[in-house]
Amino acid sequence: MYFRYVLVCCALLFVACVQDYSPLYFENSQKVMQSSATLDEALKAYDASVKHNPHSPDYYNARGDIEYKFGDYGYAVNDYTQSLRNETNSEVNIKRGKAYMKLRFFEDAAVDFTSVIDRHNQYLYQGYVERAKAYIEMGMNKEALRDLEKVRKKQGDSPEINIAMGEAYLKLGDLDKAKNYVQLAIMKQQDNPELYMLRGKLYYKTKDPNQAIADFKKVLELDKFSNSAKLELARIYATCPVDIYRDGKKAVEMAQEVYSVTDDIDALIVLSEGYAAQGNFDKAIELLDSKIEETKDYVKQDDMRVYKRAYQESRIITGW
């Protein structure tokens, strides 16, 4: 009896002495994201400011947020995965799914979002919206629209739904419908960078580079770390058929900045386009040759071969 009493007292003492570091993890991750210029700087500042607990899901969750913000999606996936090993959490599944989307691992993303849907908790409808985005990228447009309609019937229109509907119709090539949904969303969320990102793509698809550039710059005003906006701007500067918007030097600077952080094949292709726009076809070919055989994305591999042939003929490939 005495031994049991001692065990209970020790357990209570342990609980009383353990500090809840969860809010601190997220508070400090936000601070370092705002004050740090690079990912390494942010991670060092974060680790110096919090207690490293290998059993804490929140430690890895917040760390993954930092990596995601700075565009290191592979490491973000790793830390979100470690967080999920320590605790099942639908919000972290959503975050990891979004990181998979950035890496173009759409099937893995869909698995994460489906696991959220299967739990039928407060993240149910977000799971449907995010899975629809993955389905769109996988070419499963009917399935995507079915998921979105389920959410609309239950929750009505929202900026998130309108964004997803806009993306779906963009992929389907119905640009007018896509633009209508995006405009509806912007009316409700004028400080959402994702909306301007999507509208910028729509403007460029409809051959309005001036408005597209304005929207991508607006994204960077709202989110200075947006590699997607930098890459879209670089693409316009490198390949726009309208000469007054083409600027190979700017294209190289912006694409190089993204490629140095992400090592992404799309960034490499845009970087090669920037060099080609400057007339430096040898450098453009050299860049493509450095990755053309390594990439496992065979569609991108074929694209790179098309670009290489054009550069060998001293031609640039324009955007329209």
Side-chain angles (χ1 to χ4, degrees):
M1 186 69 180
Y2 175 76
F3 179 69
R4 187 177 300 170
Y5 172 78
V6 171
L7 283 178
V8 171
C9 288
C10 288
L12 291 172
L13 182 62
F14 175 77
V15 170
C17 292
V18 172
Q19 182 179 348
D20 181 10
Y21 287 94
S22 301
L24 192 61
Y25 291 135
F26 296 105
E27 180 184 334
N28 285 12
S29 69
Q30 290 298 319
K31 285 180 180 177
V32 300
M33 280 190 274
Q34 292 170 6
S35 63
S36 303
T38 66
L39 175 60
D40 286 344
E41 182 183 329
L43 290 177
K44 286 177 183 176
Y46 172 69
D47 284 333
S49 65
V50 299
K51 180 179 175 64
H52 179 191
N53 182 351
H55 304 295
S56 167
D58 293 325
Y59 169 79
Y60 292 104
N61 185 0
R63 188 179 171 89
D65 290 349
I66 296 170
E67 290 155 342
Y68 186 94
K69 183 70 173 178
F70 280 90
D72 200 330
Y73 305 116
Y75 278 105
V77 164
N78 291 342
D79 276 326
Y80 290 143
T81 300
Q82 186 61 51
S83 178
L84 288 166
R85 284 175 183 158
N86 290 336
E87 178 185 72
T88 299
N89 186 320
S90 292
E91 184 184 18
V92 180
N93 278 115
I94 293 283
K95 291 178 179 180
R96 186 174 69 175
K98 288 183 175 182
Y100 277 135
M101 290 288 288
K102 293 290 188 180
L103 293 167
R104 303 184 67 79
F105 295 163
F106 304 123
E107 292 84 357
D108 294 299
V111 169
D112 261 330
F113 302 141
T114 300
S115 72
V116 172
I117 293 166
D118 290 342
R119 292 182 196 130
H120 289 272
N121 57 24
Q122 70 266 36
Y123 295 99
L124 173 65
Y125 295 116
Q126 188 179 356
Y128 274 122
V129 171
E130 297 301 337
R131 187 173 72 175
K133 293 177 184 178
Y135 281 162
I136 290 164
E137 296 294 344
M138 294 160 66
M140 299 169 62
N141 298 311
K142 290 182 180 178
E143 291 84 351
L145 289 172
R146 189 163 59 235
D147 272 358
L148 294 172
E149 285 300 333
K150 286 179 184 176
V151 182
R152 289 185 73 193
K153 284 179 182 177
K154 293 290 185 180
Q155 293 196 319
D157 279 333
S158 69
E160 290 73 22
I161 295 296
N162 287 327
I163 290 170
M165 294 294 281
E167 289 177 340
Y169 282 111
L170 173 60
K171 289 288 183 181
L172 290 169
D174 193 333
L175 302 183
D176 288 334
K177 273 189 179 179
K179 196 177 288 185
N180 286 340
Y181 279 112
V182 175
Q183 288 296 130
L184 286 171
I186 287 176
M187 287 171 63
K188 295 180 180 179
Q189 283 190 353
Q190 296 184 12
D191 59 350
N192 185 338
E194 190 176 356
L195 291 171
Y196 294 99
M197 187 73 206
L198 183 53
R199 192 174 70 174
K201 290 179 181 179
L202 285 166
Y203 275 132
Y204 199 59
K205 284 276 188 182
T206 53
K207 301 183 180 181
D208 190 343
N210 188 54
Q211 289 298 323
I213 289 170
D215 272 347
F216 295 139
K217 286 183 175 179
K218 180 67 175 179
V219 174
L220 291 173
E221 284 179 23
L222 297 168
D223 178 8
K224 65 180 180 180
F225 298 112
S226 175
N227 288 324
S228 298
K230 292 173 186 175
L231 203 57
E232 291 301 328
L233 279 171
R235 198 189 310 275
I236 293 175
Y237 293 142
T239 67
C240 185
V242 184
D243 290 344
I244 60 171
Y245 296 109
R246 200 177 305 147
D247 187 331
K249 183 179 178 181
K250 277 187 182 178
V252 167
E253 288 174 356
M254 299 190 87
Q256 182 63 60
E257 183 181 348
V258 176
Y259 184 60
S260 66
V261 174
T262 64
D263 200 33
D264 180 68
I265 291 298
D266 278 332
L268 178 88
I269 291 173
V270 176
L271 183 56
S272 76
E273 290 173 327
Y275 279 113
Q278 290 180 311
N280 192 346
F281 294 103
D282 289 340
K283 181 63 177 178
I285 292 169
E286 180 187 330
L287 279 169
L288 295 177
D289 281 341
S290 69
K291 293 289 184 180
I292 198 166
E293 299 301 332
E294 291 181 21
T295 180
K296 299 291 191 289
D297 186 330
Y298 298 116
V299 174
K300 296 293 181 189
Q301 197 175 68
D302 285 342
D303 288 344
M304 291 165 78
R305 291 194 177 106
V306 170
Y307 281 100
K308 181 178 176 180
R309 283 196 294 272
Y311 299 156
Q312 287 171 334
E313 298 168 3
S314 299
R315 290 188 295 110
I316 63 170
I317 298 177
T318 57
W320 298 333

